[in-house]
Amino acid sequence: MTDFKYHPTPEYRFFLHDPEGDGMRYYRTAEERNADAADAIQCYLDDCWAEEVVNVVAGEITHHAVARNVELRPKREDFESDDEHEQALSEGGFSGHDGDYSCNYVLAPITDPGEPI
């Protein structure tokens, strides 16, 4: 079994997508990716040839989506009253049940890790 990751990094930028297998995986080299691709394709040879084999794709990642303009959700303990906290949530675009932060996403080179969340 070749070394792979489930998220791209500058070091692991070669990908294999096998929707009927392990989904998206990232490799250090094209050779490692190609070896796993050959194995993935062979898995479609059960009793007969499965037409889904055409959904197996490979490539090299150059860009990925990263977080920008990250704003953390205001914490209740930072305010003197529930009303002040609710107002800060509203002004920040948060509702009572939103997540811990809001942000925008942009497509950036694989070397750009984005803003920390």
Side-chain angles (χ1 to χ4, degrees):
M1 181 61 136
T2 7
D3 181 36
F4 66 88
K5 295 190 180 296
Y6 285 107
H7 300 287
T9 67
E11 187 178 1
Y12 285 78
R13 67 182 187 273
F14 297 95
F15 74 86
L16 170 64
H17 183 250
D18 179 6
E20 301 288 321
D22 291 327
M24 195 73 130
R25 296 188 304 188
Y26 300 89
Y27 301 84
R28 286 178 197 252
T29 67
E31 293 77 21
E32 291 173 319
R33 177 208 55 209
N34 294 347
D36 273 5
D39 291 342
I41 290 170
Q42 288 304 308
C43 288
Y44 288 87
L45 286 173
D46 289 338
D47 294 330
C48 63
W49 188 259
E51 292 181 16
E52 294 81 10
V53 69
V54 297
N55 295 322
V56 175
V57 296
E60 181 178 356
I61 297 291
T62 61
H63 289 70
H64 64 154
V66 298
R68 291 282 192 262
N69 305 318
V70 174
E71 294 201 28
L72 298 178
R73 178 187 182 92
K75 295 179 181 178
R76 170 59 185 96
E77 60 267 17
D78 293 337
F79 299 90
E80 292 185 21
S81 70
D82 288 342
D83 287 340
E84 288 178 6
H85 181 238
E86 290 297 322
Q87 182 176 350
L89 287 173
S90 177
E91 289 172 359
F94 292 95
S95 72
H97 304 288
D98 281 339
D100 294 334
Y101 62 92
S102 69
C103 67
N104 294 317
Y105 286 91
V106 299
L107 194 62
I110 190 70
T111 54
D112 182 345
E115 293 179 26
I117 297 176

